[in-house]
Amino acid sequence: MDYDAYVPDSSRWAKSGLAYRVLGHDAATYYQYAIYVAEGLGKNSFNALRGIKDWRTDDQNGEQNDLPALSKGKLKDFFYIRNLYGNIEDVFNRPVYSSPEDWIDVAIREPESERGYFSKLVTTPQSRRCLNLGSYNYLGFGGLNTHCTPLVAKSVLDYPVTSAGSAAELGYNPLIKEVEETTAKYVGKEAAVVVGMGFATNSTVIPAICGKGDLIVSDALNHNSIVEGARLSGAKVRAFKHNCVGDLELILQDAVAGKQRYNKILVIIEGIYSMEGELCCLAEIVEVCKLYGAYVWLDEAHSIGAVGPTGRGVCEELGVDPKDVDIMMGTFTKSFGAAGGYVASDYETVARIRQYAAGCTDACSMPPAVCTQILSSLRVISGEDGTDIGAKKLRQLRENSKFFREGLEALGLEVLGHHPSPVMPVMLYQPYKIGDFSRLAFNRKLAVVVVGAPATPVNYPRIRFCVSAAHSREDLADALAAISDIADELSIKFKVAQPNAWFPGSIHDHEEKEKQLSIKRVAKARAARSAALDSASKLASGTNRARFAPLHSVGQPLGDDIGPPRSSSGPIDAYKLSGVTEKQPKWNQYKIMLSSSDVLGLTNDPVMKEACAATVEKLGLGSCSPRGFYGTFPPHMDLERTIADFLGVQEAVMYSYGACTVSSVIPALGHRSDVAVVDRGVGYGVLAGLRLSKMDVRWYNHCDATDCARVFAQLETEDGVHSARLARPGRRRWLITEGCFQGTGRLAPLPDLVALKDKHHARMIMDESVSFGAMGESGRGLTEHFGVNPKRVDVISASLENAGASVGGFCAGDTGVVAYQRLMGAGYVFSASLPPYLATAAAHAIRRVSAEPRLVERAQASAGALRDAALSGRVPGFTTDADPGSPIVPLRLAVGASVADENALLADVAARARRRGIGVCVARVNPLVPPDNCPPRALRCFGSAGPSRGGPPA
């Protein structure tokens, strides 16, 4: 939509944008929401009378099988999607046709149909050139630039597209090692570990260092990735008032002197809060944490490379020694124009993270081209390239941020946050102004981000401007002039035309009240400090820190639903099992690669690499934004269409990281009132999703359809269903399984499971990470292998890090299943999108499978030969549980032994094989996986359609 004839909704008398002058912000906001909801209900009622279905909640499979609605248990979410989001959907998920630089070509979308309301939007070839004020490309390294792009394009051609393995196995390579060492040096820490996704850096690493018996104290406005990581850890979580040191100290006093005793305490804060534009009170928080022996985790996603004289983040900006911050986390998706994130700390803590974090054990390691982007940008920022370009960029960003913030304030807008934050939120308050501002800005060639509920409190919607070093002063001045005109039209110059002071609602007033309360909390905490510290000192000798366990250990076992007891002795012990501690990882060191998940042999395919390099040369490497905020590019849309067409389903949605795909899908669709019937053999991703969803979980024996039927029969008894013809249950039921199980190579008995889920009115989620692209006559996975219509499986999820020869994952199914995740799937909404070149790689792999099914045949033949050899005794001492047709053939010891003996024997065999040029390792099973869900210890072995060396061609 180009909005040429657009008349702002809030300018109409019934929705008056001036109502706040009389009613105050709160009353005016709720008044508009009442009209907003009534309008949505009216439009949907009109559509219903004309027989027009709501495509966003379309549930064809559920309707055909008489299943409880997708909205059951999530009525608030679905009400919002149907009646409110439809009014402003056009201002989100706008595709971009150019590279993510200071100016971008934003696609124009049009309604698919003029019939009725809330029609689906269709992307047209037309676009509008806009100034990019919504991207996280703070230093201008995103998109095309002379410092990084040529090196990245060369890296794509010189190295494999991905490592086809996790960093805890054989996916660790020299480039990753260099990124980790360079990052640790840059932020001033002993060591660092990198993860392939920024969101996953928090969500998968926090559970690696915290568990049951620990306390996490988290800022109330921390990012969703931190919230998810804290929930997965099993630790007790307490939130303190945003940036309130007094409230933090009161919680710490209760923790050290109260009845509850904790193994350790971790305080998690952000450097810059992206929805508020505020810097944390780092010096004060560090001081308080030292007093009570709490560890500090600092998330520098928006501050590293953006603030501080040399770009080293808020520690440098606020004069805090990095040694006083125990864990420093940051992402490469913003200032560095890349992807992924890092965690830097002491050697032992980083060693533990490598062993326990799912981002290290259960996901593809950082791709070589991404490493190249990070290294090249870091060298420029730090001045190691011998130039002052990095210093100039940092200075330009700081000056641009100051100029733009002061300009917004001079207009009379209500601007949040502090200088020198490059993120500048501006308050809107009334809901109609969300869509109005974005549309009017688009008309004036400005690409801006607007944010409302549920991302912000319902009465505090806002605009979020992001400034870059790439912006010229002239462009920013022109933008301010356009913003001034829009602000006048929408009446949002709240500092000039102030709200009625007799009525509540101004965020400024709210902040003032919080400031006064904060002063009182600080006074209260200081008054109680001496007694609290005295009480704490009686618990152990020495300093308070000494009584807490080291950061790299957990003193008590986790809960039964997420993992077994964890030892605090020697976090480095198990590394040799996989070979990750080889001092100098090398490229191309194996003649035969068995432990590579590149089952189709495409990561080194020259045609694929040329296509990826072409994407890099057109769009650069990183997207620098989430999908909803100008982070959707043509390769992303092409990949989603390709997957949906390939599987024969209505739609597909792409996630940025395989390890966060199914763990996002399950809680997005499931609800705590639901019940899930789950195979015991599922891996960490499904287990994490189940924990986040809080569903009632019922386990059935691994790949045992008879036991699954027993569990369903028990559910029918519990739900009071006794008749021969089973009635639709009152609570939703989910049947969750993997297609081909990575731990055992067993295949889910899909025909029997589909029959059971239909009989018992359940929905099915199947993770096809191993089987997608590698099973069935043409690679369409387990459904094709068993001849089952894929539409009978409600939700198909998969990683693209195996046969997809890329990174990321997807979820496919009915339109309603997919559309809902674009708003509620945490790994989709809160993460920067996949680098476009990796979407190109995955789409190419799927098309190759379609055009050359012999690739699948060769991979299956290779796996079949390996399986036959193991079962026939031609691999002395080994056997396998893998079923015929499985692309993965784990080799376990044929003779039973103790766990310690198994580990030692398998590690010795793998090490001997590697010395002879055979790339094989012990399969890394994340230690957080409960014993009941752990597969047998085995060597990781995949079939392959061609030679896969795990490095650049010789």
Side-chain angles (χ1 to χ4, degrees):
M1 301 168 71
D2 56 17
Y3 314 113
D4 285 338
Y6 180 69
V7 177
D9 273 325
S10 55
S11 67
R12 305 176 193 274
W13 71 268
K15 310 168 184 176
S16 176
L18 288 169
Y20 77 94
R21 297 291 306 277
V22 178
L23 303 174
H25 280 310
D26 275 358
T29 297
Y30 291 122
Y31 163 73
Q32 271 204 12
Y33 265 114
I35 300 174
Y36 205 48
V37 171
E39 184 178 357
L41 288 169
K43 289 177 177 178
N44 277 309
S45 297
F46 177 86
N47 285 350
L49 289 171
R50 299 192 63 182
I52 302 171
K53 294 184 66 174
D54 178 31
W55 65 270
R56 294 172 194 80
T57 55
D58 182 30
D59 182 22
Q60 189 179 74
N61 199 35
E63 292 170 3
Q64 290 175 351
N65 294 288
D66 193 30
L67 300 175
L70 275 173
S71 59
K72 187 174 178 62
K74 294 177 175 283
L75 289 176
K76 186 171 73 171
D77 294 344
F78 275 81
F79 183 88
Y80 172 80
I81 293 171
R82 284 176 58 88
N83 301 302
L84 284 84
Y85 180 69
N87 283 310
I88 55 173
E89 185 189 12
D90 57 294
V91 306
F92 300 106
N93 292 295
R94 285 173 172 156
V96 175
Y97 287 155
S98 62
S99 59
E101 299 175 38
D102 52 336
W103 285 85
I104 54 176
D105 296 326
V106 183
I108 293 175
R109 295 176 294 173
E110 297 291 347
E112 188 176 50
S113 170
E114 295 297 331
R115 184 169 170 260
Y117 297 100
F118 300 150
S119 176
K120 191 173 185 178
L121 296 174
V122 178
T123 305
T124 71
Q126 287 75 42
S127 64
R128 176 166 293 173
R129 190 74 170 165
C130 294
L131 182 67
N132 188 359
L133 293 174
S135 174
Y136 303 145
N137 185 16
Y138 297 138
L139 292 182
F141 287 111
L144 305 178
N145 64 85
T146 56
H147 313 292
C148 304
T149 307
L151 296 174
V152 172
K154 184 177 185 300
S155 180
V156 170
L157 297 174
D158 289 349
Y159 299 105
V161 176
T162 74
S163 63
S166 72
E169 294 186 353
L170 298 184
Y172 195 71
N173 60 56
L175 282 175
I176 295 175
K177 183 180 175 66
E178 187 177 359
V179 170
E180 291 176 343
E181 292 174 346
T182 304
T183 301
K185 178 182 176 183
Y186 181 68
V187 301
K189 284 293 182 184
E190 290 181 356
V193 58
V194 297
V195 177
M197 177 195 193
F199 182 97
T201 309
N202 278 323
S203 69
T204 69
V205 173
I206 292 173
I209 59 173
C210 287
K212 187 175 181 181
D214 295 331
L215 172 66
I216 293 175
V217 186
S218 179
D219 188 289
L221 296 185
N222 273 342
H223 190 263
N224 183 272
S225 60
I226 294 174
V227 175
E228 187 165 303
R231 288 177 59 193
L232 285 171
S233 71
K236 182 177 178 59
V237 181
R238 293 188 64 180
F240 67 95
K241 299 286 185 181
H242 173 55
N243 241 351
C244 180
V245 180
D247 195 47
L248 170 62
E249 185 168 3
L250 289 171
I251 292 174
L252 292 178
Q253 287 174 355
D254 181 65
V256 300
K259 294 180 179 179
Q260 178 72 44
R261 294 290 174 259
Y262 298 103
N263 179 55
K264 65 172 177 285
I265 303 172
L266 180 66
V267 175
I268 306 181
I269 55 175
E270 296 186 36
I272 293 178
Y273 293 87
S274 62
M275 284 297 175
E276 288 71 37
E278 296 175 349
L279 275 66
C280 66
C281 302
L282 184 61
E284 296 86 347
I285 289 172
V286 166
E287 180 185 357
V288 166
C289 288
K290 279 185 175 181
L291 284 173
Y292 298 96
Y295 298 99
V296 179
W297 174 298
L298 174 64
D299 178 342
E300 294 228 61
H302 286 270
S303 51
I304 191 68
V307 298
T310 62
R312 285 173 167 81
V314 291
C315 282
E316 184 178 49
E317 178 68 33
L318 301 175
V320 175
D321 190 335
K323 293 178 182 177
D324 291 331
V325 178
D326 301 280
I327 294 183
M328 301 179 73
M329 174 271 174
T331 65
F332 298 116
T333 54
K334 301 170 180 71
S335 295
F336 305 93
Y342 67 86
V343 173
S345 187
D346 59 85
Y347 289 117
E348 285 197 309
T349 299
V350 168
R352 180 180 184 85
I353 290 168
R354 293 188 196 279
Q355 184 178 344
Y356 280 83
C360 298
T361 62
D362 291 74
C364 187
S365 62
M366 187 172 280
V370 175
C371 293
T372 301
Q373 172 80 23
I374 294 167
L375 290 169
S376 56
S377 58
L378 253 176
R379 288 188 183 112
V380 175
I381 294 169
S382 62
E384 291 185 6
D385 64 336
T387 73
D388 62 350
I389 293 171
K392 287 180 178 178
K393 281 180 173 288
L394 287 163
R395 188 163 55 250
Q396 185 67 41
L397 174 61
R398 196 177 189 91
E399 292 173 358
N400 282 352
S401 298
K402 186 174 187 292
F403 173 79
F404 201 69
R405 178 178 290 276
E406 290 177 349
L408 293 172
E409 291 171 344
L411 294 178
L413 299 172
E414 199 165 330
V415 187
L416 306 184
H418 313 128
H419 178 70
S421 168
V423 184
M424 296 160 215
V426 172
M427 295 305 299
L428 290 172
Y429 292 105
Q430 287 80 54
Y432 277 107
K433 294 176 181 178
I434 298 172
D436 286 346
F437 191 94
S438 180
R439 293 165 190 143
L440 293 177
F442 190 69
N443 274 353
R444 289 166 171 80
K445 299 183 178 181
L446 300 179
V448 301
V449 168
V450 287
V451 189
T456 66
V458 69
N459 53 337
Y460 291 146
R462 62 200 68 180
I463 316 153
R464 188 174 68 173
F465 295 110
C466 292
V467 173
S468 169
H471 288 136
S472 70
R473 186 60 58 87
E474 293 75 20
D475 286 340
L476 292 178
D478 290 344
L480 287 170
I483 291 167
S484 180
D485 291 341
I486 300 169
D488 287 332
E489 191 169 355
L490 299 182
S491 302
I492 61 172
K493 292 184 177 179
F494 300 125
K495 293 292 187 180
V496 177
Q498 296 184 1
N500 190 327
W502 292 97
F503 295 95
S506 167
I507 196 171
H508 175 74
D509 293 342
H510 173 74
E511 289 176 345
E512 284 300 315
K513 289 178 182 177
E514 278 298 316
K515 190 178 295 184
Q516 295 304 315
L517 290 172
S518 179
I519 293 172
K520 292 180 180 179
R521 293 187 194 106
V522 169
K524 182 179 178 181
R526 286 181 178 172
R529 180 180 292 175
S530 178
L533 291 177
D534 182 60
S535 177
S537 66
K538 295 175 182 177
L539 299 177
S541 59
T543 64
N544 292 315
R545 175 66 66 88
R547 87 176 176 86
F548 289 118
L551 188 57
H552 62 265
S553 69
V554 174
Q556 294 188 27
L558 289 172
D560 293 336
D561 54 344
I562 193 66
R566 293 181 280 180
S567 169
S568 60
S569 61
I572 307 177
D573 297 354
Y575 278 18
K576 293 179 180 179
L577 297 181
S578 64
V580 74
T581 51
E582 292 172 2
K583 292 182 179 180
Q584 293 298 325
K586 300 176 183 177
W587 292 108
N588 202 26
Q589 57 183 319
Y590 302 119
K591 298 175 183 177
I592 299 173
M593 177 62 89
L594 291 179
S595 292
S596 168
S597 62
D598 179 24
V599 293
L600 300 182
L602 293 176
T603 57
N604 255 320
D605 180 75
V607 179
M608 174 184 279
K609 295 205 288 186
E610 287 287 351
C612 291
T615 299
V616 168
E617 290 167 353
K618 181 179 180 181
L619 299 175
L621 185 120
S623 65
C624 300
S625 295
R627 288 288 301 275
F629 299 157
Y630 305 102
T632 294
F633 294 87
H636 299 138
M637 297 184 289
D638 175 55
L639 175 57
E640 288 175 342
R641 285 192 301 268
T642 302
I643 292 170
D645 292 344
F646 183 68
L647 292 176
V649 297
Q650 288 182 343
E651 285 197 42
V653 59
M654 187 196 70
Y655 284 82
S656 324
Y657 204 47
C660 289
T661 300
V662 73
S663 64
S664 292
V665 170
I666 293 173
L669 297 173
H671 186 262
R672 67 176 66 197
S673 63
D674 299 345
V675 60
V677 180
V678 188
D679 189 298
R680 286 192 183 277
V682 296
Y684 183 89
V686 174
L687 293 172
L690 291 170
R691 178 158 196 155
L692 291 169
S693 71
K694 299 183 179 179
M695 288 192 284
D696 178 11
V697 179
R698 307 296 177 89
W699 301 101
Y700 66 90
N701 293 333
H702 185 39
C703 291
D704 188 341
T706 301
D707 195 50
C708 182
R710 175 192 61 78
V711 174
F712 270 119
Q714 183 179 344
L715 284 178
E716 300 296 356
T717 301
E718 291 177 13
D719 291 343
V721 178
H722 304 289
S723 63
R725 183 179 181 278
L726 298 176
R728 187 166 80 170
R731 56 177 173 171
R732 291 192 307 178
R733 298 167 179 173
W734 297 90
L735 175 55
I736 302 177
T737 182
E738 293 181 17
C740 176
F741 289 82
Q742 181 160 311
T744 62
R746 297 285 308 278
L747 305 183
L750 187 61
D752 294 334
L753 295 181
V754 167
L756 282 170
K757 73 103 179 173
D758 287 343
K759 176 182 178 182
H760 296 280
H761 298 276
R763 294 178 186 272
M764 187 174 192
I765 298 176
M766 182 165 67
D767 183 354
E768 290 225 63
S769 294
V770 175
S771 48
F772 176 76
M775 290 189 66
E777 187 176 338
S778 57
R780 285 171 170 80
L782 199 69
T783 53
E784 186 178 52
H785 176 81
F786 281 115
V788 174
N789 187 334
K791 293 180 180 178
R792 296 188 68 191
V793 179
D794 304 82
V795 183
I796 295 176
S797 174
S799 166
L800 291 167
E801 297 167 5
N802 299 318
S806 183
V807 171
F810 70 85
C811 177
D814 285 348
T815 300
V817 167
V818 169
Y820 183 74
Q821 289 177 70
R822 294 191 192 277
L823 264 179
M824 302 300 172
Y828 178 93
V829 175
F830 297 103
S831 167
S833 60
L834 186 72
Y837 88 96
L838 289 170
T840 296
H844 177 89
I846 294 169
R847 293 192 184 103
R848 283 287 295 275
V849 171
S850 297
E852 303 176 42
R854 65 178 181 276
L855 287 174
V856 181
E857 293 175 14
R858 292 212 303 263
Q860 291 174 352
S862 171
L866 183 59
R867 178 179 180 273
D868 290 344
L871 294 177
S872 65
R874 284 180 285 146
V875 185
F878 283 88
T879 187
T880 184
D881 297 314
D883 287 327
S886 169
I888 187 169
V889 185
L891 297 180
R892 64 175 176 83
L893 294 174
V895 179
S898 68
V899 173
D901 291 340
E902 279 186 316
N903 286 341
L905 287 170
L906 290 170
D908 183 57
V909 170
R912 289 171 181 261
R914 289 197 296 272
R915 287 195 293 269
R916 298 183 182 184
I918 300 173
V920 67
C921 66
V922 180
R924 272 302 277 129
V925 178
N926 191 293
L928 304 186
V929 175
D932 287 348
N933 300 98
C934 278
R937 302 280 177 175
L939 299 179
R940 178 88 73 201
C941 297
F942 286 88
S944 176
S948 178
R949 293 178 173 270

